[in-house]
Amino acid sequence: MTESDRPQPHVAVPLNGYWTEWSARAARNAAPGWAALVGEMAGLQDTFAAAAPPPEAVAEARSLVEQTRAVLARHEVGDDDQWFGRFLPAPDRGQTFSPPIRLTGITEHALAGKTMFGRFHSGNNSAAHGGGIALLFDDLFGRLVSVGDIPPARTASLSVNYRSVTPLDEPLAVEASVAEVDGRKLYLTGTLRHGDRLCADATALFLTLRPEQIRPAEAEAPPG
Ligand SMILES: CCCCCCCC/C=C\CCCCCCCC(=O)SCCNC(=O)CCNC(=O)[C@H](O)C(C)(C)COP(=O)(O)OP(=O)(O)OC[C@H]1O[C@@H](n2cnc3c(N)ncnc32)[C@H](O)[C@@H]1OP(=O)(O)O
């Protein structure tokens, strides 16, 4: 990938050793233009959600998407070798499932960042879908537990309080922190704000994995 393909710099994530090679391998192997394609796909999702096209435009768009699928399907790989979602230092992590989070502050125990929901994550009435907000928190917490020396961890529980409507296409601020560590248990808290207004807050329990719970392909740095 070329330098111009890389997403705009944001605060670098000091990833734990476990994810560093995993992520670096995708960055080494990804074709030039991959990051831009991810951005195009994310834009497509929003544009698709917002469109009410006439029949001829539906037919044209469908044909183009079919062609795109056929091109990509010729290059399918197993999930250990996929690039999608593996660009951990990038705001979008190289994926289009959850909204990009541009990190503005990181310590081993806290993250702060900016995000935005587009039409793809719309629930109703120009508000973000509650499931999308839960997804955002899971992703944010996942990033938090991937920094510093915390071993790989998984979400055991996630609880979201929807305090007020989360608008679309508006800048939002997120914060997450480690409230308590008790052995393998990481208790996390987070907030989502639009300006001064609290849209949602969340708590989660992440459990660091026992060695036998880690897939070998993830436990060892795979060959590049
Ligand atoms: C998908 C992976 C993504 C990774 C991507 C790379 C990251 C890179 C970095 C950055 C970006 C990240 C962005 C994405 C992040 C997304 C994170 C996710 O969404 S993870 C997927 C969803 N979660 C699962 O699929 C878990 C499924 N469940 C399990 O695997 C197990 O249940 C597990 C590991 C969570 C716990 O199982 P046990 O066998 O290890 O542990 P036991 O013995 O059951 O529990 C240990 C202690 O924890 C308590 N506990 C367990 N579950 C609990 C719960 N739900 N509530 C309360 N306590 C619980 C138990 O009561 C026990 O407590 P006592 O030691 O007795 O005091």
Side-chain angles (χ1 to χ4, degrees):
M1 100 188 305
T2 64
E3 203 52 43
S4 60
D5 289 321
R6 290 181 205 286
Q8 293 302 304
H10 65 147
V11 174
V13 183
L15 290 170
N16 65 28
Y18 180 84
W19 296 117
T20 299
E21 175 54 26
W22 188 76
S23 181
R25 180 176 176 241
R28 272 199 308 275
N29 293 343
W34 171 254
L37 175 60
V38 172
E40 202 57 50
M41 290 293 288
L44 176 62
Q45 290 178 167
D46 283 328
T47 305
F48 175 48
E56 58 279 12
V58 168
E60 184 184 1
R62 180 181 168 183
S63 168
L64 291 169
V65 172
E66 277 175 358
Q67 289 173 49
T68 303
R69 275 188 72 177
V71 168
L72 296 174
R74 288 200 287 276
H75 305 284
E76 185 175 333
V77 294
D79 68 354
D80 285 339
D81 292 316
Q82 76 181 40
W83 302 332
F84 186 90
R86 302 307 205 237
F87 290 78
L88 301 186
D92 64 7
R93 292 197 295 107
Q95 54 82 51
T96 63
F97 183 47
S98 54
I101 303 172
R102 190 171 302 283
L103 297 171
T104 54
I106 304 178
T107 68
E108 189 164 350
H109 302 289
L111 293 181
K114 303 282 184 206
T115 191
M116 189 182 286
F117 286 102
R119 286 290 283 277
F120 180 67
H121 291 101
S122 172
N124 197 9
N125 293 328
S126 299
H129 192 294
I133 294 168
L135 169 64
L136 174 73
F137 276 117
D138 196 27
D139 208 85
L140 180 70
F141 290 144
R143 293 178 196 224
L144 175 59
V145 302
S146 71
V147 304
D149 291 331
I150 302 171
R154 257 184 230 149
T155 322
S157 74
L158 174 66
S159 173
V160 181
N161 298 305
Y162 300 95
R163 304 292 186 183
S164 66
V165 161
T166 301
L168 303 179
D169 299 319
E170 290 281 335
L172 304 167
V174 290
E175 288 184 353
S177 58
V178 180
E180 190 189 337
V181 180
D182 175 15
R184 294 174 54 213
K185 299 177 190 172
L186 305 167
Y187 293 92
L188 312 176
T189 64
T191 58
L192 173 67
R193 286 192 164 80
H194 178 228
D196 293 337
R197 183 165 56 79
L198 182 64
C199 298
D201 53 53
T203 56
L205 170 64
F206 272 58
L207 285 176
T208 58
L209 299 182
R210 291 182 263 106
E212 65 272 23
Q213 292 173 316
I214 301 174
R215 287 165 54 193
E218 292 175 342
E220 294 160 21

